[in-house]
Coordinates of all heavy atoms in Angstrom, one line a residue:
T130 N -56.3 81.3 72.1 CA -55.1 82.2 71.9 C -55.1 82.5 70.4 O -55.8 82.0 69.6 CB -53.8 81.5 72.3 OG1 -53.6 80.4 71.5 CG2 -53.8 81.1 73.8
E131 N -54.3 83.5 70.2 CA -54.2 84.0 68.8 C -53.6 83.0 67.8 O -54.0 82.8 66.7 CB -53.3 85.3 68.8 CG -53.6 86.2 67.7 CD -52.9 87.6 67.9 OE1 -53.1 88.2 68.9 OE2 -52.1 87.9 67.0
M132 N -52.6 82.1 68.3 CA -52.0 81.1 67.5 C -53.1 80.1 67.0 O -53.1 79.7 65.9 CB -50.9 80.4 68.2 CG -49.6 81.2 68.3 SD -48.8 81.3 66.7 CE -48.2 79.7 66.5
D133 N -53.9 79.7 68.0 CA -55.0 78.7 67.7 C -55.9 79.2 66.6 O -56.3 78.5 65.7 CB -55.7 78.3 68.9 CG -54.9 77.5 69.9 OD1 -53.9 76.8 69.4 OD2 -55.1 77.5 71.1
E134 N -56.3 80.5 66.7 CA -57.2 81.1 65.8 C -56.6 81.1 64.4 O -57.2 80.9 63.4 CB -57.6 82.5 66.2 CG -58.5 82.5 67.4 CD -58.7 83.9 67.9 OE1 -58.6 84.9 67.1 OE2 -59.1 84.1 69.1
E135 N -55.3 81.4 64.3 CA -54.6 81.5 63.0 C -54.5 80.1 62.4 O -54.7 80.0 61.2 CB -53.2 82.1 63.2 CG -53.2 83.6 63.4 CD -51.7 84.1 63.6 OE1 -50.8 83.5 63.0 OE2 -51.6 85.1 64.2
E136 N -54.3 79.1 63.2 CA -54.2 77.7 62.7 C -55.5 77.3 62.1 O -55.6 76.6 61.1 CB -53.7 76.8 63.8 CG -52.3 76.8 64.1 CD -51.8 75.9 65.1 OE1 -52.5 74.8 65.3 OE2 -50.8 76.1 65.8
E137 N -56.6 77.7 62.8 CA -58.0 77.3 62.4 C -58.3 77.9 61.0 O -58.9 77.3 60.2 CB -59.0 77.6 63.4 CG -59.0 76.7 64.6 CD -60.1 77.1 65.6 OE1 -61.1 77.7 65.2 OE2 -59.9 76.8 66.8
E138 N -57.9 79.2 60.9 CA -58.1 79.9 59.6 C -57.4 79.3 58.5 O -57.8 79.3 57.3 CB -57.7 81.4 59.8 CG -58.6 82.2 60.7 CD -58.2 83.6 60.9 OE1 -57.5 84.1 60.0 OE2 -58.6 84.2 61.9
E139 N -56.2 78.7 58.7 CA -55.4 78.1 57.7 C -55.9 76.7 57.2 O -55.4 76.2 56.2 CB -53.9 78.0 58.1 CG -53.3 79.3 58.3 CD -51.8 79.2 58.8 OE1 -51.3 78.1 58.7 OE2 -51.3 80.2 59.3
E140 N -56.8 76.1 58.0 CA -57.3 74.8 57.6 C -58.0 74.9 56.2 O -58.7 75.8 56.0 CB -58.3 74.3 58.6 CG -57.7 73.7 59.9 CD -58.7 73.2 60.8 OE1 -59.7 72.6 60.3 OE2 -58.5 73.3 62.0
L141 N -57.7 73.9 55.4 CA -58.3 73.9 54.1 C -59.7 73.3 54.2 O -59.9 72.3 54.8 CB -57.4 73.1 53.1 CG -56.1 73.7 52.7 CD1 -55.4 72.7 51.8 CD2 -56.4 74.9 51.9
Q142 N -60.6 73.9 53.5 CA -61.9 73.3 53.4 C -62.2 72.9 51.9 O -62.1 73.7 51.0 CB -63.0 74.4 53.8 CG -62.9 74.8 55.3 CD -63.2 73.7 56.2 OE1 -64.1 72.9 55.9 NE2 -62.5 73.6 57.3
F143 N -62.4 71.6 51.7 CA -62.6 71.1 50.4 C -64.1 71.1 50.1 O -64.9 70.6 50.9 CB -62.0 69.7 50.2 CG -60.5 69.7 50.2 CD1 -59.9 69.2 51.3 CD2 -59.8 70.2 49.2 CE1 -58.5 69.2 51.4 CE2 -58.4 70.2 49.3 CZ -57.8 69.7 50.4
S144 N -64.5 71.5 48.9 CA -65.9 71.4 48.5 C -66.2 69.9 48.1 O -65.2 69.1 47.9 CB -66.2 72.3 47.3 OG -65.6 71.8 46.1
G145 N -67.4 69.6 47.9 CA -67.7 68.2 47.4 C -67.1 68.0 46.1 O -66.6 66.9 45.8
Q146 N -67.1 69.0 45.2 CA -66.5 68.8 43.9 C -65.0 68.6 44.0 O -64.4 67.8 43.3 CB -66.8 70.0 43.0 CG -68.2 70.0 42.4 CD -68.4 71.1 41.4 OE1 -67.8 72.1 41.5 NE2 -69.3 70.9 40.4
D147 N -64.4 69.3 44.9 CA -62.9 69.1 45.1 C -62.6 67.7 45.6 O -61.7 67.1 45.1 CB -62.4 70.1 46.2 CG -62.4 71.5 45.8 OD1 -62.4 71.8 44.6 OD2 -62.4 72.4 46.7
L148 N -63.4 67.2 46.5 CA -63.2 65.8 47.0 C -63.4 64.8 45.9 O -62.7 63.8 45.8 CB -64.2 65.5 48.2 CG -63.9 66.3 49.4 CD1 -65.0 66.1 50.5 CD2 -62.5 66.0 50.0
I149 N -64.4 65.0 45.0 CA -64.6 64.1 43.9 C -63.4 64.1 42.9 O -63.0 63.1 42.4 CB -65.9 64.5 43.1 CG1 -67.1 64.1 44.0 CG2 -66.0 63.8 41.8 CD1 -68.5 64.6 43.5
K150 N -62.9 65.3 42.7 CA -61.7 65.5 41.8 C -60.5 64.7 42.4 O -59.7 64.0 41.7 CB -61.3 66.9 41.6 CG -62.3 67.6 40.6 CD -61.9 69.1 40.4 CE -62.9 69.8 39.6 NZ -62.6 71.3 39.5
I151 N -60.3 64.9 43.7 CA -59.2 64.2 44.4 C -59.4 62.7 44.3 O -58.4 62.0 44.0 CB -59.1 64.7 45.9 CG1 -58.7 66.1 45.9 CG2 -58.1 63.8 46.7 CD1 -58.8 66.8 47.3
R152 N -60.5 62.2 44.6 CA -60.8 60.8 44.5 C -60.6 60.2 43.1 O -60.0 59.2 42.9 CB -62.3 60.5 44.9 CG -62.7 59.0 45.0 CD -63.5 58.6 43.8 NE -63.7 57.2 43.8 CZ -63.5 56.5 42.8 NH1 -63.1 56.9 41.7 NH2 -63.7 55.2 42.9
D153 N -61.1 61.0 42.1 CA -60.9 60.5 40.7 C -59.4 60.5 40.4 O -58.9 59.6 39.6 CB -61.7 61.4 39.8 CG -63.2 61.2 39.9 OD1 -63.6 60.1 40.5 OD2 -63.9 62.0 39.3
A154 N -58.6 61.5 40.8 CA -57.2 61.5 40.6 C -56.5 60.3 41.2 O -55.6 59.7 40.6 CB -56.6 62.8 41.0
I155 N -56.9 60.0 42.4 CA -56.3 58.9 43.1 C -56.7 57.6 42.4 O -55.8 56.7 42.2 CB -56.8 58.8 44.6 CG1 -56.2 60.0 45.4 CG2 -56.4 57.5 45.2 CD1 -56.7 60.2 46.8
A156 N -57.9 57.5 41.9 CA -58.3 56.3 41.2 C -57.5 56.1 39.9 O -57.0 55.0 39.6 CB -59.8 56.3 40.8
H157 N -57.2 57.3 39.2 CA -56.4 57.2 38.0 C -55.0 56.8 38.3 O -54.4 56.0 37.6 CB -56.4 58.6 37.4 CG -55.7 58.7 36.1 ND1 -56.1 58.1 34.9 CD2 -54.5 59.2 35.8 CE1 -55.2 58.3 34.0 NE2 -54.2 59.0 34.5
L158 N -54.4 57.3 39.4 CA -53.1 56.9 39.8 C -53.0 55.4 40.2 O -52.0 54.7 39.8 CB -52.6 57.7 41.1 CG -52.2 59.1 40.8 CD1 -52.0 59.9 42.1 CD2 -51.0 59.2 39.9
V159 N -54.0 54.9 40.9 CA -54.0 53.5 41.2 C -54.1 52.6 39.9 O -53.4 51.6 39.8 CB -55.1 53.1 42.3 CG1 -55.2 51.7 42.5 CG2 -54.9 53.9 43.5
Q160 N -55.0 53.0 39.0 CA -55.1 52.3 37.8 C -53.8 52.3 37.0 O -53.4 51.3 36.4 CB -56.2 52.9 36.9 CG -57.6 52.4 37.4 CD -58.7 52.9 36.4 OE1 -58.5 53.8 35.6 NE2 -59.9 52.3 36.6
S161 N -53.1 53.4 37.0 CA -51.8 53.5 36.4 C -50.8 52.6 37.0 O -50.0 51.9 36.3 CB -51.2 55.0 36.4 OG -52.1 55.8 35.7
L162 N -50.8 52.5 38.3 CA -49.9 51.5 39.0 C -50.3 50.1 38.7 O -49.4 49.3 38.4 CB -50.0 51.8 40.5 CG -49.2 50.8 41.5 CD1 -47.7 50.9 41.1 CD2 -49.4 51.2 42.9
L163 N -51.6 49.8 38.6 CA -52.0 48.5 38.2 C -51.5 48.1 36.7 O -51.0 47.0 36.5 CB -53.5 48.3 38.3 CG -54.1 48.3 39.7 CD1 -55.6 48.3 39.6 CD2 -53.5 47.3 40.6
H164 N -51.6 49.1 35.9 CA -51.0 48.9 34.5 C -49.5 48.6 34.5 O -49.0 47.7 33.8 CB -51.3 50.1 33.6 CG -52.7 50.1 33.1 ND1 -53.3 49.2 32.2 CD2 -53.7 51.0 33.4 CE1 -54.5 49.5 32.0 NE2 -54.8 50.7 32.7
L165 N -48.8 49.4 35.4 CA -47.4 49.1 35.5 C -47.1 47.7 36.0 O -46.1 47.1 35.5 CB -46.7 50.2 36.4 CG -46.6 51.6 35.8 CD1 -46.1 52.6 36.8 CD2 -45.5 51.5 34.6
L166 N -47.9 47.3 37.0 CA -47.6 46.0 37.5 C -47.9 44.9 36.5 O -47.3 43.8 36.6 CB -48.5 45.7 38.8 CG -48.1 46.5 40.0 CD1 -49.1 46.2 41.2 CD2 -46.7 46.1 40.5
Q167 N -48.8 45.1 35.6 CA -49.0 44.1 34.5 C -47.9 44.1 33.6 O -47.6 43.0 33.0 CB -50.3 44.5 33.7 CG -51.6 44.3 34.5 CD -52.8 44.8 33.7 OE1 -52.7 45.6 32.8 NE2 -54.0 44.2 34.0
T168 N -47.2 45.2 33.4 CA -46.1 45.2 32.4 C -44.7 44.9 33.0 O -43.9 44.3 32.4 CB -46.0 46.7 31.8 OG1 -47.3 47.0 31.4 CG2 -45.1 46.8 30.7
F169 N -44.4 45.5 34.2 CA -43.1 45.3 34.8 C -43.1 44.4 36.0 O -43.7 44.8 37.0 CB -42.6 46.7 35.2 CG -42.4 47.7 34.1 CD1 -43.4 48.7 33.9 CD2 -41.4 47.6 33.2 CE1 -43.3 49.6 32.9 CE2 -41.3 48.4 32.1 CZ -42.2 49.5 31.9
P170 N -42.4 43.3 36.0 CA -42.4 42.4 37.1 C -41.5 43.0 38.2 O -40.5 43.6 38.0 CB -41.7 41.1 36.6 CG -41.1 41.5 35.3 CD -41.8 42.8 34.8
L171 N -41.9 42.7 39.5 CA -41.2 43.2 40.6 C -40.4 42.1 41.3 O -40.0 42.3 42.4 CB -42.1 43.9 41.6 CG -42.8 45.1 41.2 CD1 -43.8 45.7 42.2 CD2 -41.9 46.2 40.7
K172 N -40.2 41.0 40.5 CA -39.5 39.9 41.1 C -38.1 40.2 41.7 O -37.7 39.7 42.8 CB -39.3 38.8 40.0 CG -38.8 37.5 40.5 CD -38.8 36.5 39.4 CE -40.1 35.9 39.1 NZ -40.2 34.8 38.2
D173 N -37.4 41.1 41.1 CA -36.0 41.5 41.6 C -36.1 42.8 42.4 O -35.0 43.4 42.7 CB -35.1 41.7 40.4 CG -34.9 40.4 39.6 OD1 -35.0 39.3 40.2 OD2 -34.8 40.5 38.3
R174 N -37.3 43.2 42.7 CA -37.4 44.5 43.5 C -38.3 44.3 44.7 O -39.4 44.8 44.8 CB -37.9 45.6 42.7 CG -37.1 45.9 41.4 CD -37.5 47.1 40.7 NE -36.9 47.4 39.5 CZ -35.7 47.7 39.2 NH1 -34.8 47.6 40.1 NH2 -35.3 48.0 38.0
P175 N -37.9 43.4 45.7 CA -38.8 43.1 46.8 C -39.2 44.4 47.6 O -40.3 44.4 48.1 CB -37.9 42.1 47.7 CG -36.5 42.3 47.2 CD -36.6 42.8 45.8
H176 N -38.3 45.3 47.7 CA -38.7 46.6 48.4 C -39.8 47.3 47.7 O -40.8 47.8 48.4 CB -37.5 47.5 48.6 CG -37.7 48.7 49.4 ND1 -37.9 48.6 50.8 CD2 -37.8 50.0 49.1 CE1 -38.1 49.8 51.3 NE2 -38.0 50.7 50.3
S177 N -39.8 47.4 46.4 CA -40.9 48.0 45.7 C -42.2 47.2 45.8 O -43.3 47.8 46.0 CB -40.5 48.1 44.2 OG -39.4 49.0 44.0
A178 N -42.1 45.9 45.8 CA -43.3 45.1 45.9 C -43.9 45.3 47.3 O -45.1 45.4 47.5 CB -42.9 43.6 45.7
S179 N -43.0 45.4 48.3 CA -43.5 45.6 49.7 C -44.2 47.0 49.8 O -45.2 47.1 50.5 CB -42.3 45.5 50.6 OG -42.7 45.8 51.9
N180 N -43.6 48.0 49.2 CA -44.2 49.3 49.2 C -45.6 49.3 48.5 O -46.5 49.9 49.0 CB -43.3 50.4 48.5 CG -42.1 50.7 49.4 OD1 -42.1 50.5 50.6 ND2 -41.1 51.3 48.7
C181 N -45.7 48.6 47.4 CA -47.0 48.5 46.7 C -48.0 47.8 47.6 O -49.1 48.3 47.7 CB -46.8 47.8 45.4 SG -46.0 48.7 44.1
A182 N -47.5 46.7 48.2 CA -48.5 46.0 49.1 C -49.0 46.9 50.3 O -50.1 46.9 50.6 CB -47.8 44.8 49.7
Q183 N -48.1 47.7 50.8 CA -48.5 48.6 51.9 C -49.5 49.6 51.4 O -50.5 49.9 52.0 CB -47.3 49.3 52.5 CG -46.4 48.5 53.3 CD -45.2 49.2 53.8 OE1 -45.0 50.4 53.6 NE2 -44.3 48.4 54.5
I184 N -49.3 50.2 50.2 CA -50.2 51.2 49.6 C -51.6 50.5 49.4 O -52.6 51.1 49.7 CB -49.6 51.7 48.3 CG1 -48.4 52.6 48.6 CG2 -50.7 52.5 47.5 CD1 -47.6 53.0 47.4
F185 N -51.6 49.4 48.7 CA -52.8 48.7 48.4 C -53.6 48.3 49.7 O -54.8 48.4 49.8 CB -52.6 47.4 47.6 CG -52.2 47.7 46.2 CD1 -51.2 47.0 45.6 CD2 -52.8 48.7 45.4 CE1 -50.8 47.3 44.3 CE2 -52.5 49.0 44.1 CZ -51.4 48.2 43.5
S186 N -52.8 47.9 50.8 CA -53.5 47.5 52.0 C -54.2 48.7 52.6 O -55.3 48.6 53.2 CB -52.4 47.0 53.0 OG -51.9 45.8 52.5
K187 N -53.6 49.9 52.5 CA -54.3 51.1 53.1 C -55.5 51.5 52.2 O -56.4 52.0 52.7 CB -53.3 52.3 53.2 CG -52.3 52.0 54.3 CD -51.2 53.1 54.3 CE -50.2 52.7 55.4 NZ -49.0 53.6 55.4
L188 N -55.4 51.3 50.9 CA -56.4 51.8 50.0 C -57.7 50.9 50.1 O -58.7 51.3 49.6 CB -55.9 51.8 48.5 CG -54.9 52.9 48.2 CD1 -54.4 52.7 46.8 CD2 -55.5 54.3 48.4
I189 N -57.5 49.7 50.7 CA -58.7 48.9 50.8 C -59.8 49.6 51.6 O -61.0 49.4 51.4 CB -58.3 47.6 51.5 CG1 -57.5 46.7 50.6 CG2 -59.6 46.8 52.0 CD1 -56.9 45.5 51.2
Y190 N -59.4 50.5 52.5 CA -60.3 51.2 53.4 C -60.6 52.6 52.9 O -61.1 53.4 53.7 CB -59.8 51.2 54.8 CG -59.5 49.9 55.3 CD1 -58.2 49.4 55.4 CD2 -60.5 49.0 55.8 CE1 -58.0 48.1 55.8 CE2 -60.3 47.7 56.2 CZ -59.0 47.3 56.2 OH -58.7 46.0 56.7
F191 N -60.2 52.9 51.7 CA -60.3 54.3 51.2 C -61.7 54.8 51.1 O -62.0 56.0 51.4 CB -59.6 54.4 49.8 CG -59.6 55.8 49.3 CD1 -58.6 56.7 49.7 CD2 -60.5 56.3 48.4 CE1 -58.5 58.0 49.2 CE2 -60.4 57.6 47.9 CZ -59.5 58.4 48.3
E192 N -62.6 54.0 50.7 CA -64.0 54.5 50.5 C -64.9 53.3 50.7 O -64.5 52.1 50.4 CB -64.2 55.1 49.1 CG -64.0 54.1 48.0 CD -64.0 54.8 46.6 OE1 -64.2 56.0 46.5 OE2 -63.8 54.1 45.6
P193 N -66.2 53.5 51.0 CA -67.1 52.4 51.1 C -67.5 51.9 49.7 O -67.5 52.6 48.8 CB -68.4 53.0 51.8 CG -68.2 54.5 51.6 CD -66.8 54.8 51.4
V194 N -67.7 50.6 49.6 CA -68.1 50.0 48.4 C -69.6 49.6 48.5 O -70.0 48.8 49.4 CB -67.2 48.8 48.0 CG1 -67.6 48.2 46.7 CG2 -65.8 49.2 48.0
L195 N -70.4 50.0 47.6 CA -71.8 49.7 47.5 C -72.0 48.4 46.7 O -71.3 48.2 45.7 CB -72.6 50.8 47.0 CG -72.5 52.2 47.7 CD1 -73.3 53.2 47.0 CD2 -73.0 52.0 49.1
G196 N -72.9 47.6 47.1 CA -73.1 46.3 46.4 C -72.1 45.3 46.7 O -71.3 45.4 47.6
E197 N -72.1 44.2 45.8 CA -71.2 43.1 46.0 C -69.9 43.4 45.3 O -69.9 43.9 44.2 CB -71.8 41.8 45.5 CG -72.6 41.1 46.6 CD -73.1 39.8 46.1 OE1 -72.3 39.0 45.6 OE2 -74.3 39.5 46.2
L198 N -68.8 43.0 45.9 CA -67.5 43.0 45.3 C -67.4 41.7 44.5 O -67.7 40.6 45.0 CB -66.4 43.1 46.3 CG -66.1 44.4 46.9 CD1 -65.1 44.3 47.9 CD2 -65.7 45.4 45.8
T199 N -66.9 41.8 43.3 CA -66.5 40.6 42.5 C -65.0 40.5 42.5 O -64.4 41.5 42.2 CB -67.1 40.6 41.1 OG1 -66.6 41.8 40.4 CG2 -68.6 40.7 41.1
F200 N -64.5 39.3 42.8 CA -63.1 39.2 42.9 C -62.5 38.5 41.6 O -61.3 38.2 41.6 CB -62.7 38.4 44.1 CG -63.0 39.2 45.4 CD1 -64.1 38.9 46.1 CD2 -62.2 40.2 45.8 CE1 -64.4 39.6 47.3 CE2 -62.5 40.9 47.0 CZ -63.6 40.6 47.7
A201 N -63.3 38.4 40.6 CA -62.8 37.8 39.3 C -62.0 38.9 38.7 O -62.2 40.1 38.8 CB -64.0 37.5 38.4
A202 N -61.0 38.4 38.0 CA -60.1 39.4 37.3 C -60.8 40.0 36.2 O -61.4 39.3 35.3 CB -58.8 38.6 36.8
P203 N -60.7 41.3 36.1 CA -61.4 42.0 35.0 C -60.5 41.9 33.7 O -59.3 41.6 33.8 CB -61.4 43.5 35.4 CG -60.2 43.6 36.3 CD -60.1 42.3 37.0
R204 N -61.2 42.0 32.6 CA -60.4 42.0 31.3 C -59.5 43.2 31.2 O -58.4 43.1 30.7 CB -61.4 42.0 30.1 CG -62.0 40.6 29.9 CD -63.1 40.7 28.9 NE -64.3 41.2 29.6 CZ -65.3 41.9 29.1 NH1 -65.3 42.2 27.8 NH2 -66.4 42.2 29.8
D205 N -59.9 44.3 31.8 CA -59.0 45.5 31.8 C -59.2 46.2 33.1 O -60.3 46.3 33.7 CB -59.5 46.4 30.6 CG -58.7 47.6 30.5 OD1 -57.6 47.7 31.2 OD2 -59.1 48.5 29.7
V206 N -58.1 46.7 33.7 CA -58.2 47.3 35.0 C -59.1 48.6 35.0 O -59.6 49.0 36.0 CB -56.8 47.7 35.6 CG1 -56.0 46.4 35.9 CG2 -56.1 48.6 34.7
S207 N -59.3 49.1 33.8 CA -60.2 50.3 33.8 C -61.6 49.9 34.1 O -62.4 50.8 34.3 CB -60.0 51.0 32.4 OG -60.4 50.2 31.4
E208 N -61.9 48.6 34.1 CA -63.3 48.2 34.4 C -63.5 48.3 35.9 O -64.7 48.3 36.4 CB -63.5 46.8 34.0 CG -63.6 46.6 32.5 CD -63.7 45.2 32.0 OE1 -64.0 44.3 32.9 OE2 -63.6 44.9 30.9
L209 N -62.4 48.3 36.7 CA -62.6 48.4 38.2 C -63.1 49.8 38.5 O -62.5 50.8 38.1 CB -61.3 48.1 38.9 CG -60.7 46.7 38.7 CD1 -59.2 46.7 39.1 CD2 -61.5 45.7 39.4
K210 N -64.1 49.9 39.3 CA -64.7 51.2 39.6 C -64.3 51.8 41.0 O -64.1 53.0 41.1 CB -66.2 51.2 39.5 CG -66.7 50.8 38.1 CD -66.2 51.8 37.0 CE -66.6 51.3 35.7 NZ -65.7 51.9 34.6
S211 N -64.2 51.0 42.0 CA -63.9 51.5 43.3 C -62.5 51.3 43.6 O -61.8 50.4 43.1 CB -64.8 50.8 44.4 OG -64.3 49.5 44.6
I212 N -61.9 52.2 44.4 CA -60.5 52.1 44.8 C -60.2 50.8 45.6 O -59.2 50.2 45.4 CB -60.1 53.4 45.5 CG1 -60.1 54.5 44.5 CG2 -58.7 53.3 46.2 CD1 -59.8 55.9 45.0
P213 N -61.1 50.4 46.6 CA -60.9 49.2 47.3 C -60.8 48.0 46.3 O -59.9 47.1 46.5 CB -62.1 49.0 48.2 CG -62.4 50.4 48.5 CD -62.2 51.2 47.2
E214 N -61.6 47.9 45.3 CA -61.5 46.8 44.3 C -60.2 46.9 43.6 O -59.6 45.8 43.4 CB -62.6 47.0 43.2 CG -64.0 46.5 43.6 CD -65.0 46.7 42.5 OE1 -65.2 47.8 42.1 OE2 -65.6 45.7 42.1
M215 N -59.7 48.1 43.2 CA -58.4 48.2 42.6 C -57.3 47.7 43.5 O -56.3 47.0 43.1 CB -58.1 49.7 42.2 CG -59.1 50.2 41.2 SD -58.7 52.0 40.9 CE -60.3 52.5 40.2
A216 N -57.5 48.0 44.8 CA -56.5 47.6 45.8 C -56.4 46.1 46.0 O -55.4 45.5 46.0 CB -56.8 48.3 47.2
F217 N -57.6 45.4 46.0 CA -57.6 44.0 46.1 C -57.0 43.4 44.9 O -56.2 42.4 44.9 CB -59.1 43.5 46.2 CG -59.6 43.4 47.7 CD1 -60.6 44.3 48.1 CD2 -59.0 42.6 48.6 CE1 -61.0 44.3 49.4 CE2 -59.5 42.5 49.9 CZ -60.5 43.4 50.3
Y218 N -57.3 43.9 43.7 CA -56.7 43.4 42.4 C -55.2 43.6 42.5 O -54.5 42.7 42.0 CB -57.3 44.2 41.3 CG -56.8 43.7 39.9 CD1 -57.3 42.5 39.4 CD2 -55.8 44.4 39.2 CE1 -56.9 42.0 38.2 CE2 -55.4 43.9 38.0 CZ -55.9 42.7 37.5 OH -55.4 42.3 36.3
G219 N -54.7 44.7 43.0 CA -53.3 45.0 43.1 C -52.6 44.0 44.0 O -51.5 43.5 43.7
L220 N -53.2 43.7 45.1 CA -52.6 42.7 46.1 C -52.6 41.3 45.5 O -51.6 40.6 45.6 CB -53.5 42.7 47.4 CG -53.2 43.9 48.3 CD1 -54.3 43.9 49.4 CD2 -51.8 44.0 48.8
K221 N -53.7 41.0 44.8 CA -53.7 39.7 44.1 C -52.6 39.6 43.0 O -52.0 38.6 42.9 CB -55.1 39.5 43.5 CG -55.3 38.2 42.8 CD -56.7 38.1 42.2 CE -56.9 36.8 41.4 NZ -58.2 36.7 40.8
S222 N -52.5 40.7 42.3 CA -51.4 40.7 41.3 C -50.0 40.6 41.9 O -49.2 39.9 41.3 CB -51.5 42.1 40.5 OG -50.5 42.2 39.6
L223 N -49.8 41.2 43.0 CA -48.5 41.1 43.7 C -48.2 39.7 44.1 O -47.0 39.3 44.3 CB -48.4 42.0 44.9 CG -48.3 43.5 44.5 CD1 -48.3 44.3 45.8 CD2 -47.0 43.8 43.8
C224 N -49.3 38.9 44.3 CA -49.1 37.5 44.8 C -48.8 36.5 43.6 O -48.6 35.3 43.9 CB -50.3 37.0 45.5 SG -50.5 37.8 47.1
S225 N -48.7 37.0 42.4 CA -48.5 36.1 41.3 C -47.0 35.9 41.2 O -46.1 36.7 41.6 CB -49.0 36.8 40.0 OG -48.2 37.9 39.7
P226 N -46.6 34.7 40.6 CA -45.2 34.4 40.4 C -44.4 35.5 39.7 O -43.2 35.6 39.9 CB -45.2 33.1 39.7 CG -46.5 32.5 39.8 CD -47.5 33.7 40.1
K227 N -45.1 36.2 38.8 CA -44.4 37.3 38.1 C -43.7 38.3 39.0 O -42.7 38.9 38.6 CB -45.5 38.0 37.2 CG -45.0 39.2 36.4 CD -46.2 39.8 35.7 CE -45.7 40.9 34.8 NZ -46.8 41.4 34.0
H228 N -44.3 38.5 40.2 CA -43.7 39.5 41.1 C -42.9 38.9 42.2 O -42.5 39.7 43.1 CB -44.8 40.4 41.6 CG -45.5 41.2 40.5 ND1 -44.9 42.2 39.8 CD2 -46.8 41.1 40.0 CE1 -45.7 42.6 38.9 NE2 -46.9 42.1 39.0
G229 N -42.6 37.7 42.2 CA -41.7 37.1 43.2 C -42.2 35.9 43.8 O -43.3 35.3 43.4
D230 N -41.5 35.4 44.8 CA -41.8 34.2 45.5 C -43.1 34.4 46.3 O -43.1 35.3 47.2 CB -40.7 33.7 46.4 CG -40.9 32.4 47.1 OD1 -42.0 31.8 46.9 OD2 -40.0 32.0 47.8
Q231 N -44.1 33.6 46.1 CA -45.4 33.8 46.8 C -45.3 33.5 48.3 O -46.1 34.1 49.1 CB -46.5 32.9 46.2 CG -46.8 33.3 44.8 CD -47.2 32.1 43.9 OE1 -46.8 31.0 44.2 NE2 -47.9 32.4 42.8
K232 N -44.3 32.7 48.7 CA -44.1 32.5 50.2 C -43.7 33.7 50.9 O -44.0 33.9 52.1 CB -43.1 31.4 50.4 CG -43.6 30.0 49.9 CD -42.5 29.0 50.0 CE -42.9 27.7 49.3 NZ -41.7 26.9 49.0
E233 N -43.0 34.6 50.2 CA -42.5 35.8 50.9 C -43.6 36.8 51.0 O -43.7 37.6 51.8 CB -41.4 36.4 50.1 CG -40.1 35.6 50.1 CD -39.0 36.2 49.3 OE1 -39.0 37.4 49.1 OE2 -38.1 35.5 48.9

C-alpha cells in the first residue's frame, strides 16, 4: 500500500562512517558517566544507581569484543577501549561501598 511505501522511504540509512561516529559518541558518554561515578557517590541515590546498572547491563552486549578482556581496574577510564569493557567497569564500580550497600 501507499502508507507502507512512505514508511520505507522514511527509514534512515546510516553509512559506515555515521555508525562509527555514533559508536564513538556513545563511548564518550559512557566514559563521562564512569568519571562521574568516580567523583560522585550514589550511596543516597539508589534509584540513580539502579538506572546506571540497567544501562551498563545493556551496554555489555553493545558490540563484540576482540581478544581477551582484562578485568583489572585501569589507571584511567580513558584506557578502556570497548563499550562492553566500560560497562563491566561501571558495574564493578557500582558494587563498591562508595555507591551503597553491596547486598542491595
